[in-house]
Amino acid sequence: MSKPHAERLSALRAELSRQALDGFVVPLTDEHNSEYVADYAQRLAWLTGFEGSAGSAIVLAEKAAMFVDGRYVIQVRDQVDSALFTHVHLTEMDPLDWLWGEVKKGDRIGYDPRLHTPGWVAQVQSRLQRKGAELVAVDQNPIDAVWPDQPAPPPFPLKPHDAALAGATSADKRARIGGDIAENGAEAAVLTALDSIAWLFNIRGNDVAHTPVALAYAVLHKDGRADLFVAPEKMTDAVREHLGNEVSIAPYDGFYDALTDLGAGGKAVLADPATANAAVFEALKKGGADIVRAADPCALPKACKTGAEIKGSIAAHERDGAAVTEFLHWLDQEAHKGGLTEIGCVAKLESFRKKRDGFCDTSFDTISGAGSNGAICHYRVSEESSRPLTPGELYLVDSGGQYPDGTTDITRTVPVGTVGDEEKDRFTRVLKGHIALARARFPIGTTGAQLDAIARKPLWDVGLDYDHGTGHGVGSYLAVHEGPQRISKAPNAIALQPGMILSNEPGYYKDGGFGIRIENLVTVVADEDSHERPFLRFETLTLAPIDRRLVKTELLSEDEIGWLDRYHARVYDTLDSLVAEDTRDWLAQMTAPIAG
């Protein structure tokens, strides 16, 4: 039994009893519904030990459960004590179904209204009421009450983001989005998503690891004026000048009271029920607001990158691709000798990126998985889990960089020495899916959900699959996972549009054996060869060799070989002058045409 986590669970149960609660729901998010959260908001990790980027827990007086999706079934087994928390796969049981089976009449189940959406609250309330139980909003999060050394919210100052990189000034963006707010019949919109706020105001921050955002809320009025709620210590004279007179600054802690005042007199206020938390809606309702439930008005414009942002992304990917290529060369020279470890490779890869102009940070914790650890989709290496790179195994490295002109995300899978036929077969099928998606042409109005099967078909043909999406949106010096678009089995009504940047990352994972993923970022562009109706296609941004030694060429068609050769020719032509001299000959070998 994990002693620290057993003690923490016991302390939480004592606090629940003090607050007259019979249970509590613990999500992995913050007040802004963020995927990656600052240290102060890492409540789930502190309580359970789970370090993945998606999951939740429910704690009752006698039982507790940890819920994860297919990406984390192996990781949760390694990190969360099953004697304390039952491990539940989300495809087998929803958290609400589990709670329904355990709750009794009269039970009071607590939740923090700042950490859940109103839709979640309504759904859970409805189910619990049918059993005579009650969902109770807490004033103080009980985990905060028992976390003795909980970090304080980060104090870092805001930073202006150059309009030349953004492709539009904040004033222009606010005027445009203000018009959209008016078209929705609202006087103002509440903004809580950190990347939306960073994008709208052309500001960046250091409050969340790997994502250059700052803790803030905002209200945008239909005339383009705005109220920015941020801790006073984050403001500088440069930021005040950057924001201008049409942006009023207010304390971060005064946000909810300001919402109550905003809604006075039945004012129509737009709020996104998918991203804004339940406390936002309660504060607006308290003030009498006429709440217009609509999508975050910044989400779609933010996803459709400007010409300046696309140009910046291309440049960032060239520098980042050179760094990754130098790392892959180093790895190829050293791995077969023995002595390399997963965690050592993380540091080495970052050292190559740090040499590149503009490098600010990695865009997420590097996934560095050798052998069976590569089968953990979102594996996070630590000193305790790090294993050596062993000849005869595959090594998977998924990493990215944050640069002022772009955000990168790339996965490469390479052999350490010679690997077996099974690994090569699976790698080639993943590559076939990657190529199929990269070459896809599709009519305007097509969603990512409609394209997802294209990447899976080579695996489906032999009864295989993978338990993660095929593509996620990517920000421009912002979040590496960005909506509203995605390529996934999950339904998504957002059509792909020019300027969107997404990942193309099919994979395959053999539990206890190995993992394979090939990931490039792509941008959506107009297809010049369209005839009867306008079509779109993808243009690949990422530049680094795909390991040809793992390819079973007999499984590839001539068109697929042609795509790979053309991609590698572009990689060589672009990176030859950017990589170190000792990498150039290796790069030429790794990008040599298969067709030749």
Side-chain angles (χ1 to χ4, degrees):
M1 182 175 289
S2 173
K3 185 176 179 182
H5 296 108
E7 292 174 348
R8 293 169 186 178
L9 184 59
S10 178
L12 175 60
R13 284 176 167 144
E15 177 63 19
L16 295 181
S17 178
R18 191 190 70 78
Q19 293 192 29
L21 296 172
D22 300 291
F24 188 69
V25 181
V26 188
L28 198 171
T29 192
D30 60 9
E31 297 86 345
H32 306 272
N33 201 27
S34 304
E35 177 183 15
Y36 299 114
V37 301
D39 289 346
Y40 83 93
Q42 293 280 359
R43 299 177 179 94
L44 185 67
W46 178 83
L47 179 67
T48 69
F50 179 69
E51 296 178 343
S53 62
S56 63
I58 298 177
V59 176
L60 303 177
E62 302 295 334
K63 294 184 178 181
M66 178 77 208
F67 303 87
V68 295
D69 62 26
R71 296 171 294 173
Y72 297 107
V73 290
I74 301 174
Q75 185 171 340
V76 74
R77 195 167 63 210
D78 294 340
Q79 294 181 336
V80 180
D81 191 340
S82 60
L84 301 176
F85 294 86
T86 301
H87 301 166
V88 183
H89 193 310
L90 286 172
T91 61
E92 298 171 359
M93 183 173 288
D94 181 88
L96 183 50
D97 291 334
W98 184 89
L99 183 59
W100 172 260
E102 300 293 339
V103 75
K104 304 182 298 295
K105 183 178 181 179
D107 279 352
R108 290 164 46 86
I109 306 300
Y111 76 101
D112 187 334
R114 300 169 303 162
L115 305 182
H116 296 275
T117 64
W120 180 92
V121 172
Q123 182 185 22
V124 178
Q125 279 179 335
S126 175
R127 286 287 294 274
L128 292 183
Q129 285 172 357
R130 299 209 302 268
K131 263 205 169 181
E134 182 182 2
L135 185 66
V136 180
V138 299
D139 293 326
Q140 180 188 26
N141 192 301
I143 292 179
D144 296 351
V146 298
W147 187 351
D149 54 351
Q150 183 180 23
F156 306 113
L158 297 172
K159 300 178 292 186
H161 182 59
D162 193 338
L165 294 174
T169 66
S170 174
D172 288 342
K173 292 179 181 180
R174 287 185 278 109
R176 173 188 173 187
I177 304 303
D180 294 340
I181 292 168
E183 286 187 8
N184 272 286
E187 297 291 318
V190 179
L191 303 175
T192 61
L194 298 183
D195 59 340
S196 288
I197 294 168
W199 174 85
L200 179 66
F201 293 97
N202 281 351
I203 53 175
R204 299 296 188 264
N206 292 313
D207 289 354
V208 178
H210 311 303
T211 307
V213 294
L215 295 178
Y217 298 104
V219 172
L220 177 62
H221 303 274
K222 68 178 184 180
D223 61 2
R225 294 180 301 107
D227 308 309
L228 182 63
F229 297 84
V230 63
E233 63 268 23
K234 294 185 177 299
M235 293 300 300
T236 65
D237 290 342
V239 172
R240 288 188 180 89
E241 182 180 354
H242 166 77
L243 293 173
N245 296 330
E246 292 190 342
V247 178
S248 300
I249 307 301
Y252 181 83
D253 293 339
F255 173 66
Y256 291 99
D257 287 341
L259 291 187
T260 300
D261 295 338
L262 179 67
K267 189 173 185 178
V269 180
L270 185 153
D272 185 352
T275 59
N277 63 54
V280 166
F281 287 80
E282 287 302 314
L284 290 172
K285 193 182 302 181
K286 181 179 177 182
D290 174 14
I291 302 176
V292 178
R293 294 174 178 250
D296 178 339
C298 296
L300 189 56
K302 170 169 56 68
C304 298
K305 307 298 183 285
T306 64
E309 288 173 324
I310 294 296
K311 181 180 178 182
S313 185
I314 291 170
H317 276 89
E318 290 177 356
R319 300 195 305 277
D320 194 72
V324 171
T325 297
E326 289 178 347
F327 166 76
L328 292 174
H329 173 229
W330 168 84
L331 186 70
D332 198 42
Q333 299 299 303
E334 300 296 327
H336 68 279
K337 300 176 184 177
L340 298 187
T341 64
E342 294 171 340
I343 202 162
C345 287
V346 170
K348 189 67 177 180
L349 175 53
E350 186 168 347
S351 74
F352 282 109
R353 280 197 167 102
K354 284 180 176 178
K355 297 175 184 177
R356 296 293 157 174
D357 291 345
F359 177 74
C360 299
D361 193 2
T362 53
S363 55
F364 56 95
D365 287 319
T366 297
I367 298 168
S368 175
S372 59
N373 281 347
I376 306 172
C377 297
H378 285 189
Y379 168 65
R380 183 175 179 180
V381 64
S382 65
E383 292 287 354
E384 295 73 29
S385 69
S386 180
R387 56 170 288 175
L389 276 62
T390 304
E393 294 185 334
L394 292 176
Y395 172 64
L396 184 156
V397 57
D398 184 350
S399 67
Q402 291 284 11
Y403 304 86
D405 49 353
T407 299
T408 71
D409 183 1
I410 173 175
T411 308
R412 289 296 182 264
T413 306
V414 300
V416 181
T418 302
V419 299
D421 186 73
E422 180 186 19
E423 287 90 334
K424 292 180 179 179
D425 177 272
R426 304 303 188 254
F427 181 92
T428 307
R429 293 183 184 280
V430 171
L431 176 60
K432 286 171 71 70
H434 179 97
I435 293 172
L437 188 59
R439 298 177 64 221
R441 298 171 63 235
F442 46 94
I444 287 177
T446 300
T447 69
Q450 292 170 304
L451 297 179
D452 181 76
I454 292 175
R456 296 180 189 269
K457 185 181 183 301
L459 289 166
W460 285 357
D461 284 344
V462 290
L464 305 173
D465 199 8
Y466 50 94
D467 289 329
H468 59 72
T470 301
H472 56 81
V474 178
S476 179
Y477 189 40
L478 276 175
V480 74
H481 292 159
E482 176 183 85
Q485 79 280 14
R486 63 177 181 265
I487 302 172
S488 169
K489 292 179 182 178
N492 185 324
I494 302 300
L496 301 183
Q497 298 183 29
M500 287 181 171
I501 295 177
L502 302 100
S503 64
N504 172 3
E505 53 176 310
Y508 171 76
Y509 312 90
K510 183 176 182 179
D511 191 357
F514 57 87
I516 295 165
R517 188 160 61 250
I518 302 170
E519 178 185 19
N520 286 340
L521 297 191
V522 298
T523 184
V524 182
V525 300
D527 181 16
E528 302 85 356
D529 295 330
S530 299
H531 296 293
E532 291 187 358
R533 62 180 65 185
F535 269 59
L536 303 172
R537 62 179 178 85
F538 294 121
E539 196 165 88
T540 298
L541 295 167
T542 305
L543 296 167
I546 295 170
D547 206 300
R548 296 162 66 253
R549 295 167 296 187
L550 291 172
V551 177
K552 296 186 70 172
T553 55
E554 65 269 25
L555 294 181
L556 296 182
S557 68
E558 288 186 11
D559 285 344
E560 289 167 337
I561 291 174
W563 181 93
L564 185 59
D565 284 349
R566 288 191 299 275
Y567 174 71
H568 273 153
R570 182 172 157 232
V571 169
Y572 180 79
D573 290 345
T574 305
L575 301 185
D576 177 50
S577 62
L578 300 179
V579 297
E581 186 174 350
D582 64 346
T583 299
R584 289 174 188 160
D585 288 344
W586 178 88
L587 178 61
Q589 295 170 16
M590 295 300 289
T591 56
I594 293 176

